[in-house]
Amino acid sequence: MKKILFLLLVPFYGFAQNDINDFWKNDFWQINKVVTHELDLFELSNPPAESVFKIPDGTKYIYGNSLTFNTNGTFISKYSADCGNDCFTRSEGTFEKIDETHLRLQINLFSRFGRCEGLEDRTVRDLGTFEIKPTEDGYQLIKLKDE
């Protein structure tokens, strides 16, 4: 009986591993909110291909909230819109891959400009360790409470 149960669970474990591996293959995400020190949960999904734009230097962007992981261990999370009449929020920082299912985030710059009160905060904020959990539409980054 134990062997049958084990054989039934192996495919689910294998699918979960593939989902996590897919997370590390992508460097550009649509995200529910710009990364800040105030949130403990972020929802990530692949932006539809037709909504991804590239500027001449090759940088990708979408309208709305995005998160880009760079190969040098930095990230940029920002909000953009197709008009200039909005409040534009941006955070920049570093990330560290702890293991396949965990990463650590740190914000080095948070700024806001446009149709809102401007702000630039260069306070370094360690956001802690986040667990990467696959969802139906993408992934969740869930802050571990032990921090």
Side-chain angles (χ1 to χ4, degrees), residues 32-137:
N32 62 324
K33 298 279 186 183
V34 170
V35 174
T36 70
H37 66 281
E38 298 171 345
L39 300 174
D40 293 340
L41 173 71
F42 300 102
E43 300 276 346
L44 283 67
S45 61
N46 285 313
E50 66 273 5
S51 68
V52 177
F53 305 97
K54 285 188 179 183
I55 58 176
D57 71 359
T59 303
K60 294 184 268 186
Y61 72 95
I62 56 170
Y63 294 131
N65 298 312
S66 65
L67 174 62
T68 303
F69 292 110
N70 299 307
T71 56
N72 65 358
T74 62
F75 74 85
I76 297 172
S77 180
K78 62 186 175 181
Y79 169 76
S80 64
D82 60 351
C83 69
N85 297 323
D86 213 337
C87 180
F88 299 96
T89 307
R90 176 185 184 99
S91 64
E92 298 178 19
T94 58
F95 72 94
E96 176 186 1
K97 179 179 176 181
I98 305 297
D99 59 33
E100 290 303 311
T101 60
H102 295 88
L103 61 84
R104 187 168 198 84
L105 295 173
Q106 174 180 293
I107 292 180
N108 301 330
L109 169 69
F110 179 82
S111 63
R112 187 172 46 228
F113 61 93
R115 295 191 139 241
C116 55
E117 188 174 323
L119 168 75
E120 184 172 301
D121 182 358
R122 293 190 175 270
T123 305
V124 174
R125 299 179 189 267
D126 182 0
L127 303 184
T129 302
F130 288 78
E131 181 178 4
I132 305 163
K133 292 197 97 146
T135 65
E136 189 174 307
D137 297 323

Side-chain angles (χ1 to χ4, degrees), residues 5-30:
L5 182 59
F6 174 76
L7 291 174
L8 290 174
L9 292 176
V10 167
F12 293 110
Y13 178 76
F15 288 128
Q17 288 299 94
N18 287 339
D19 286 343
I20 292 298
N21 289 335
D22 287 345
F23 175 85
W24 293 108
K25 292 177 187 174
N26 194 357
D27 62 350
F28 185 67
W29 298 98
Q30 193 167 25

